[in-house]
Amino acid sequence: MAVRTLIRMLSAFCAAFLMLGGSPALGQPAPGSTPGVDDMAGSVVSRLVAWRARTDQPVALGSLTAFEWDSFSVERVPAGVAMANCGRDGFVPCDKGLQPAPDGLVQVLRFDRAGQAVYQERIIVGSASFAEPLPAAVPRGRATLVTCADGTGRRLWCVQSGPRPALPGLDGA
């Protein structure tokens, strides 16, 4: 039950945070993108977390986005400072256990269109992390994610290899 509560809190936090304009600490349109066109109502990471909470079925990443993109990648970047808005009413608590270490690394989900970044978002929720090797420039048509496990049994996201099955009702084109 505590996990579901945390997932709900994170989803609400991400959606509210983006509606307030976002920041480099979480999801935001990439620099140079057009507000209102490239924005989305909720974060892609929160949608990945929600999908995993409901099912272990594959998901076409295009069905979880509300903006146009050609390919996606996941990169590692320094965690840096903690989230600036934690501790405020309705936001995630500032508990050190919920924040990545400043000298640690976090994954960043990045979407590109015509060679330019259109959206990027830090992944600080374990259930939205990607397995090694991290995806690089995966075309939208091949961006179907499946659950895979690391050596410790932790559930991670991987790009589905091989022929893609038909996923009814999901946009993967």
Side-chain angles (χ1 to χ4, degrees), residues 14 31 40 49-51 88 92 107 109 120 130 134 139 157-158:
C14 291
M40 55 183 299
V49 170
W51 184 271
R88 294 186 184 171
V92 175
Q107 293 180 358
L109 180 60
Q120 55 192 18
F130 283 77
L134 296 177
W157 289 110
C158 294

Side-chain angles (χ1 to χ4, degrees), residues 6-122:
L6 180 59
I7 289 171
R8 285 185 187 130
M9 283 177 43
L10 285 171
S11 295
F13 167 75
C14 291
F17 196 68
L18 287 172
M19 284 189 266
L20 293 174
S23 88
L26 223 69
Q28 72 173 26
S33 60
T34 308
V37 173
D38 297 19
D39 291 350
M40 55 183 299
S43 82
V44 177
V45 170
S46 68
R47 291 173 186 202
L48 283 170
V49 170
W51 184 271
R52 168 139 311 129
R54 287 191 309 266
T55 182
D56 271 336
Q57 293 298 309
V59 59
L61 192 51
S63 69
L64 302 180
T65 57
F67 51 88
E68 292 301 316
W69 55 278
D70 300 327
S71 66
F72 88 98
S73 301
V74 177
E75 304 163 341
R76 273 199 172 57
V77 300
V81 296
M83 288 184 286
N85 290 324
C86 64
R88 294 186 184 171
D89 288 339
F91 289 104
V92 175
C94 290
D95 184 319
K96 288 192 186 270
L98 297 175
Q99 302 290 330
D103 59 346
L105 296 174
V106 294
Q107 293 180 358
V108 173
L109 180 60
R110 175 186 161 136
F111 294 88
D112 292 329
R113 180 178 57 223
Q116 298 294 316
V118 292
Y119 183 86
Q120 55 192 18
E121 183 175 355
R122 290 168 49 117

